[in-house]
Structures are given as structure tokens and as C-alpha cells.
């Protein structure tokens, strides 16, 4: 699992090691640890490295007093966050991949999130009933109790991201694809249309938008963070919603691609008010379908 503070610490330590022209193996020998531990630390993963080890490592790299104190502060905050995450890890850890756990840990520290739905409503906006149908399709071998645990996991993610500004975009086709039945889709779309939180925006890319960036994207979420210890800006994180699991992208060219996409989506999508109007219009169509089905079912 990657924590935002440990990620920042790892990135700084890697830069210091490379500036000192030292390999991970040489650094590990200098502090009597394994090269795997140094690698995990630089990747932002939780390790058993002590504060004494970290101080020695900073000295080995020639770091100054301020850099050493910032490194120690990041280590302490990262470890505190790992402890705070113990509860949900115990409840849901067996349902998640390593990238899923990293996403959930990072989401709670994000100040802004942009999510795009190519084929489905973005996960954090899905109603309980909609999500249940999705989970049943993704995990057909699971028991009803296991499906309910997966649904509760999504609700837990939603609660943990309450502080972030969230911008949601989706193709119109994503809300026209029927998940469950017409009544379920009506309820899902009306909930999207009635979203009134000042932190949340929902915008559609309608079918008449022509050739646009949304046609070339898979579903994804880009998380952005504020400055941490030392005031240094933190780079974003991108996760693809790939089937049942999240896929974390950490290559610089991948981040640049999705940053460009996030900049382009507002220019392509309908306004918030026009999106609400279209959502209500489509929901009304589902309402008519539901009423017609109920009438036909009458003896």
C-alpha cells in the first residue's frame, strides 16, 4: 500500500541517492538493510525502517539538517496514516488488490479528484443498487454476503473522500447503458441530476459532441494533492478502473497524458446545468419504460 507521505519521502530519498551517485545496494549496505527495503521505501511503501536508519541514510546521502527533519516528519506521518488505515484494511483488505489499497489510502489525502466514466457511472457516484449489479457481474462466483461486503467497501471509499473537490465526467452512452432495470437507471440518473454539493460537479459528454477526447479514454481517476512537509508540491496519481481491480499508473508520460485529458474534458462536456437537464430527460425516458413494463405485467 502506498501512502501519500511515504510516497513523498520515497521520491525525495531517491533523488538524494541519485544525486550522491549511489546504487540501492550501496545505500542498503551503508545502513545494514536489504536493497529490497530501500526499493520499497523509495516506492512509497510501508517498511520497518527506524528513525535511526533513516537519519543514517540521510547522512549517507549528504542531506542537510532541514532535509533530514522533513524526512523524519514524513516517515512519522506516513506511519500514523498506516495505523489509521488498519481498521478498513482488516474489514476489506481481502477484497482489494495492492493498487486498490493504495488508491483508498491516497484518496483520503487528495484535495481534488477528477473521474471519467467511459462505459459506466463513475464508482463513487453509483447508487447502492447500481453498484450491487456491477459487483455481481464482476464477481459472479461470490456469495450474496461477499457481494454486500464489496458494496459496503465502495460506500466506505465515498465517506473517506468527503473533503476533496470532485469533478465527474462521463459519456452519455454510459448513462444510457441499462444496468439492472429501467427503474434502477431512473433512480441512478435522478440522483446524479440532483447532486447539489458545492464540492461535486457532474458533467456529460453528449452524443452530439463529435470526435472528442472522451472517445479515446478508459475510465480513470486522477487524484491531486496539496503541499506536504517542506511546502514542495506533490505530483498527482492516476488509477484506471480496469475490470474488478484498479490499476495504478506511475510513469511520467502516463501522468502527462491524463493531465492533458483532464484539461480537455471541461471544454468537451456540457455545462453542469445542461448536464442536469439531459440527465433528467434520460431519467424520464427510463421512467416511461418502467411504467410501461409495470402495466404489461398486470394481469
Amino acid at each position: 500500500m502506498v501512502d501519500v507521505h511515504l510516497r513523498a519521502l520515497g521520491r525525495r530519498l531517491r533523488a538524494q541517492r541519485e544525486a550522491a551517485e549511489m546504487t540501492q545496494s550501496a545505500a542498503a549496505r551503508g545502513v545494514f538493510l536489504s536493497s529490497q527495503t530501500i526499493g520499497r521505501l523509495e516506492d512509497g511503501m510501508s517498511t520497518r525502517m527506524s528513525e535511526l536508519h533513516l537519519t543514517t541514510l540521510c547522512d549517507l546521502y549528504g542531506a542537510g539538517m532541514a532535509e533530514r527533519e522533513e524526512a523524519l516528519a514524513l516517515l512519522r506521518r506516513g506511519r500514523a496514516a498506516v495505523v489509521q488505515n488498519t481498521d478498513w484494511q482488516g474489514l476489506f483488505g481481502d477484497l482489494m488488490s495492492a493498487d486498490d489499497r493504495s488508491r483508498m489510502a491516497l484518496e483520503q489525502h487528495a484535495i481534488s479528484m477528477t473521474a471519467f466514466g467511459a462505459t459506466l457511472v463513475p464508482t463513487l457516484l453509483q447508487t447502492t443498487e447500481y453498484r450491487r449489479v456491477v459487483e455481481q457481474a464482476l464477481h459472479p462466483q461470490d456469495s450474496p454476503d461477499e457481494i454486500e461486503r464489496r458494496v459496503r467497501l465502495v460506500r466506505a471509499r465515498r465517506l473517506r473522500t468527503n473533503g476533496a473537490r470532485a469533478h465527474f465526467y462521463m459519456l452519455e452512452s454510459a448513462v444510457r447503458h441499462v444496468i439492472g432495470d429501467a427503474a434502477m437507471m431512473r433512480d441512478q440518473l435522478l440522483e446524479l441530476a440532483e447532486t447539489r454539493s458545492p464540492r461535486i460537479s457532474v458533467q456529460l459528454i453528449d452524443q452530439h459532441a463529435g470526435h472528442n477526447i472522451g472517445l479515446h479514454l478508459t475510465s480513470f481517476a486522477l487524484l491531486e494533492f496539496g503541499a506536504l512537509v517542506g511546502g514542495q508540491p506533490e505530483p498527482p496519481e492516476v488509477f484506471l478502473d480496469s475490470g474488478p481491480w484498479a490499476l495504478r499508473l506511475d510513469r511520467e508520460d502516463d501522468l502527462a497524458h491524463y493531465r492533458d485529458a483532464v484539461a480537455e474534458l471541461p471544454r468537451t462536456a456540457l455545462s453542469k446545468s445542461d448536464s442536469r437537464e439531459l440527465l433528467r430527460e434520460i431519467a424520464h425516458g427510463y421512467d416511461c419504460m418502467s411504467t410501461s413494463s409495470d402495466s404489461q405485467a398486470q394481469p
Side-chain angles (χ1 to χ4, degrees), residues 4 103-114 160-166 199 222-226 237:
V4 67
R103 177 170 65 177
M104 195 161 178
L106 290 166
E107 280 176 341
Q108 67 178 324
H109 295 291
I111 62 170
S112 178
M113 173 174 58
T114 301
R160 291 165 64 88
T161 57
N162 272 345
R165 297 189 308 276
R199 296 182 302 98
L222 183 142
L223 308 178
E224 297 182 90
F225 308 93
E237 286 274 356

Side-chain angles (χ1 to χ4, degrees), residues 154-180:
V154 172
R155 289 205 297 268
R157 280 184 57 204
R158 188 180 297 124
L159 290 172
R160 291 165 64 88
T161 57
N162 272 345
R165 297 189 308 276
H167 310 279
F168 295 97
Y169 299 91
M170 64 199 87
L171 296 177
E172 181 181 340
S173 55
V175 298
R176 289 193 179 276
H177 187 93
V178 178
I179 301 298

Side-chain angles (χ1 to χ4, degrees), residues 6-21:
L6 297 180
R7 184 189 72 148
L9 172 62
R11 194 174 60 258
R12 296 183 192 191
L13 290 176
R14 179 182 285 113
Q16 291 171 10
R17 176 179 59 77
E18 291 174 348
E21 298 183 345

Side-chain angles (χ1 to χ4, degrees), residues 262-281:
V262 165
E264 183 63 26
L265 284 170
R267 293 192 284 268
T268 304
L270 296 173
S271 68
K272 298 173 190 176
S273 59
D274 286 346
S275 294
R276 283 195 295 270
E277 184 176 335
L278 180 55
L279 284 167
R280 292 190 185 106
E281 177 185 319

Side-chain angles (χ1 to χ4, degrees), residues 2-166:
V2 175
D3 170 76
V4 67
H5 301 95
L6 297 180
R7 184 189 72 148
L9 172 62
R11 194 174 60 258
R12 296 183 192 191
L13 290 176
R14 179 182 285 113
Q16 291 171 10
R17 176 179 59 77
E18 291 174 348
E21 298 183 345
M22 191 175 295
T23 65
Q24 288 184 348
S25 296
R29 288 194 298 272
V31 291
F32 303 101
L33 292 171
S34 68
S35 57
Q36 289 84 356
T37 297
I38 299 298
R40 284 177 56 83
L41 183 66
E42 291 185 357
D43 287 340
M45 308 295 287
S46 178
T47 69
R48 295 184 178 181
M49 175 172 282
S50 68
E51 292 188 11
L52 177 59
H53 279 126
L54 181 57
T55 299
T56 305
L57 194 62
C58 289
D59 290 341
L60 190 65
Y61 295 159
M65 179 66 73
E67 291 174 312
R68 186 185 304 116
E69 290 303 316
E70 288 176 6
L72 287 169
L74 287 169
L75 179 66
R76 291 164 187 155
R77 293 185 185 184
R79 285 187 168 166
V82 170
V83 171
Q84 290 174 354
N85 288 329
T86 301
D87 288 346
W88 64 260
Q89 288 270 22
L91 289 171
F92 304 114
D94 61 311
L95 302 180
M96 295 183 285
S97 67
D99 282 351
D100 285 320
R101 289 191 288 272
S102 293
R103 177 170 65 177
M104 195 161 178
L106 290 166
E107 280 176 341
Q108 67 178 324
H109 295 291
I111 62 170
S112 178
M113 173 174 58
T114 301
F116 172 76
T119 56
L120 297 171
V121 172
T123 302
L124 293 180
L125 290 180
Q126 293 172 4
T127 63
T128 297
E129 292 74 18
Y130 186 107
R131 187 64 202 177
R132 185 176 293 113
V133 173
V134 171
E135 293 292 359
Q136 288 167 344
L138 291 174
H139 305 280
Q141 76 287 354
D142 279 7
S143 68
D145 286 346
E146 289 171 323
I147 293 295
E148 289 308 308
R149 286 184 65 217
R150 294 186 184 279
V151 173
R152 290 200 303 273
L153 170 58
V154 172
R155 289 205 297 268
R157 280 184 57 204
R158 188 180 297 124
L159 290 172
R160 291 165 64 88
T161 57
N162 272 345
R165 297 189 308 276

